[in-house]
Amino acid sequence: MKTDGNTILAESLKKQGVEYVFGIVGIPVIETAMIFQSVGLKYIGMRNEQAACYAAQAVGYLTGKPGVCLAVSGPGLLHCIGGMANAQVNAWPLLVIAGSCPEDHEGIGGFQEWPQVDSSRMYCKYAARPPNPRLIPQHVEKAVRYASAGRPGVSYLDMPGSILMAEVEEEKVQMDYYNAQIVKLAHPDPDLVSKAADLLANAKRPLIVVGKGAAYAHAEDAIRKLVDNTKVPFLPTPMGKGVVPDGSAYCVSTARTQALLKADVVLLLGARLNWMLHFGQPPRYAPDVKFIQVDISPEEFHNSVKSEVAVHSDIKPFAEALVKQLEKRKFSLQPSNNEWWQALSQKQKANTEFVAAQANNTSVPLNYYAVFKAVQESIPKDSIIVSEGANTMDIGRGLLLNNLPRHRLDAGTFGTMGVGPGFAIAAAMWCRDHAPAKRVVCVEGDSAFGFSGMEIETMFRYKLPVIIVIVNNSGIYSGFDKETMKEIQSAGDITQCTPPTSLSGEVRYEKMMEMFGETGHLCRTVDDIKIVVKKAIEVTDKPSIINILIDPQSNRKPQTFNWLTESKL
């Protein structure tokens, strides 16, 4: 009996535990997607390959098993490149599979011909083309393993139409190709754990930074015990939120600048000293600060500063071992009479008072803080929050709280815009299968929503109850009210007068719901927000759009330092 490349590919993915496929079909992968469904893979058809790629990697982050992005040849794959780069930089598991022109058409101008394997290598841990259908299982296993092992990332498999359609004898295909066992957790060197414990126990101003890597590692129980036992103040990175609850008494996010600037020992748990943590360098840190780096990837050590202790380990076993070492030393801070805690608490109080004043200012047009306070008070506390946009995402990190790990998805390390709807679709699919009562709230700036807004149709097609909240300031960073824009644009050549940061004033994004026979929501006041969010939560079989008009010039709290560390050149 004979089988073909499409069937071998589908069965191989199933064998390796792949569950979700996001993509857009066309020549030569139309039959591929159909056969994927026939073997039990869940196929979600998207509206743009980039959004499909974002969705596949978000599923990889949520499940630990790479999601698949299926694309057509040439431009289809090239549309995925932004998503591939995002997953690679974010360290999320992703497998991209693209059709390509038949091998006998290569070099003579084949349809959508492109050097796809070579083009993908920069964005991947592994990129290959199986030389024949019989070897597809081997390459699928390797692609899934590479995407998942160590620091996760991207694999790419190139599938020419000639290989997908080729038939071979079943007995010549190793269809039961092995499924490699999950790599056991890497345990830390006990001597390095002891050194880390000594450094923390002797610190006057210790600080723990909880990164996205700790969330992906499912290390929340160990890290919560570490924080609760030692009472060391901690900061989460944006997607490290919820590993220890944002509501913890030991979370010092409201004094972030002070905590980083004054700490004498910083323990990094799955967090990188990149731009998001200001490279670990002055003036954002004390010149003599000491770092303890814990990471699954030793290549990360000493990249921007020399760490005092660098531990190659999975986060969970390290945190468990460190708890035991610190218990032996009877190390615990007492916030009530500790100078470090008192200094941080004073700063927290001042910053909290400022935010509260802004959040309680309900005058129209609204500011960001008032919007986020109203949303936070209205959504379920276990919601998965997806967020993107400049001020929308940055301010929202402080007011939209996460008390559970892996419940926040945003632009991440790469700072990618357009990820929101794709991430939300992935999260909603995961919720449908694993936590049906949980809600996904996708909070978008109006500019960010414009990148992938048509994925609203995908949400309708798959009956995904994503609550889309658009914080609409009519611009990128900031905009202008309608009357001011008319005056600006009437002053001369519209291409020279229209400010680069402006968008059309008060765009009625909620009316996109009318394309599907539904009604969206326009909000101008806090009361409006609370009423319509409650209505949206009651909807369980389709998405909702809540368009909140705010002051176009609304901005974040003045910063002690520029949010992006300036170059020293």
Side-chain angles (χ1 to χ4, degrees), residues 24 47-54 69 71-84:
I24 296 178
R47 298 302 301 264
N48 180 286
E49 289 93 350
Q50 205 168 56
C53 207
Y54 295 144
C69 176
V72 302
S73 48
L77 172 65
L78 291 175
H79 286 171
C80 295
I81 292 296
M84 294 165 73

Side-chain angles (χ1 to χ4, degrees), residues 290-421:
K290 294 179 172 63
F291 289 100
I292 304 166
Q293 271 186 292
V294 187
D295 205 286
I296 193 60
S297 174
E299 292 83 359
E300 193 60 42
F301 299 148
H302 317 299
N303 273 348
S304 54
V305 296
K306 185 180 185 301
S307 293
E308 193 74 13
V309 182
V311 188
H312 180 212
S313 173
D314 277 287
I315 303 300
K316 182 178 178 180
F318 172 84
E320 291 171 342
L322 184 62
V323 165
K324 292 178 182 178
Q325 288 287 340
L326 292 173
E327 284 176 343
K328 290 179 183 179
R329 290 162 176 76
K330 295 181 169 51
F331 170 67
S332 178
L333 300 182
Q334 298 303 320
S336 59
N337 59 10
N338 178 269
E339 291 184 6
W340 175 224
W341 261 116
Q342 289 173 355
L344 290 174
S345 297
Q346 186 176 358
K347 193 66 176 178
Q348 283 181 290
K349 183 175 183 293
N351 289 343
T352 300
E353 287 174 351
F354 173 88
V355 170
Q358 295 296 308
N360 292 330
N361 178 5
T362 59
S363 60
V364 177
L366 295 171
N367 65 63
Y368 285 102
Y369 298 88
V371 168
F372 291 134
K373 179 184 178 185
V375 172
Q376 173 65 28
E377 290 176 347
S378 304
I379 62 175
K381 303 311 177 191
D382 66 345
S383 299
I384 294 180
I385 297 171
V386 179
S387 184
E388 62 172 331
N391 290 331
T392 298
M393 181 174 63
D394 294 339
I395 299 172
R397 284 169 177 162
L399 286 115
L400 299 175
L401 304 182
N402 295 101
N403 290 322
L404 294 171
R406 299 169 298 282
H407 276 57
R408 183 177 180 89
L409 305 169
D410 69 19
T413 311
F414 209 32
T416 308
M417 290 296 103
V419 297

Side-chain angles (χ1 to χ4, degrees), residues 36 47 53 82 130 195-196 217 239 275 367 421 429 441 445 447 454 458 505 516 520 566:
F36 281 0
R47 298 302 301 264
C53 207
K195 288 181 180 179
M239 276 186 278
W275 68 273
N367 65 63
M429 292 299 303
V441 182
S447 173
M454 271 312 299
T458 306
F516 309 96
E566 294 180 0

Side-chain angles (χ1 to χ4, degrees), residues 101-111 113:
C101 77
E103 293 167 294
D104 57 329
H105 290 179
E106 290 182 336
I108 57 173
F111 175 66
E113 180 184 352

Side-chain angles (χ1 to χ4, degrees), residues 161-209:
S162 50
I163 288 181
L164 290 172
M165 300 302 293
E167 294 187 338
V168 295
E169 296 293 336
E170 279 189 5
E171 60 268 21
K172 294 183 179 179
V173 182
Q174 195 175 351
M175 288 302 296
D176 60 346
Y177 200 83
Y178 65 79
N179 184 342
Q181 296 299 310
I182 296 174
V183 178
K184 291 184 178 180
L185 295 181
H187 283 251
D189 181 333
D191 289 342
L192 293 178
V193 177
S194 182
K195 288 181 180 179
D198 286 340
L199 202 57
L200 275 174
N202 291 316
K204 292 183 179 180
R205 298 178 300 279
L207 178 69
I208 297 171
V209 176

